[in-house]
Amino acid sequence: SKRAFCKIHGLSMSTFQYWQRKLNQAKKREVEVLKPSPFIKVDVEPQALPASRNRPDARWVAELILHLQEGLR
């Protein structure tokens, strides 16, 4: 039991519980970091865009990105 462990190792129950909470919180944060992001990074280079005002509509670009993302699943 926790109480027996603390007695054997000369710990108070409150110290044991403090470190148990602290380590559990660290594990939760670590798991959250490892979760894959639902977003895909898209790098857009300025020179790749047309120089004129005939750039594609932002809604069209967003739709294209969503369409491409569906193909990756």
Side-chain angles (χ1 to χ4, degrees):
S1 71
K2 293 177 189 177
R3 193 168 304 281
F5 178 86
C6 289
K7 189 173 184 177
I8 291 169
H9 294 284
L11 298 170
S12 69
M13 276 297 287
S14 61
T15 301
F16 178 86
Q17 291 168 340
Y18 167 81
W19 283 106
Q20 186 178 35
R21 278 192 308 274
K22 193 163 183 82
L23 292 172
N24 284 337
Q25 289 170 354
K27 281 183 185 179
K28 286 180 185 177
R29 274 188 252 116
E30 187 176 300
V31 169
E32 288 172 2
V33 169
L34 296 176
K35 288 181 184 176
S37 172
F39 298 101
I40 297 175
K41 182 178 179 184
V42 177
D43 292 324
V44 179
E45 298 179 15
Q47 58 269 34
L49 296 174
S52 69
R53 292 179 179 241
N54 295 330
R55 294 186 177 135
D57 180 58
R59 289 175 293 206
W60 180 86
V61 174
E63 189 65 35
L64 173 65
I65 291 169
L66 290 173
H67 177 72
L68 292 173
Q69 185 180 13
E70 288 296 319
L72 295 174
R73 290 185 181 170

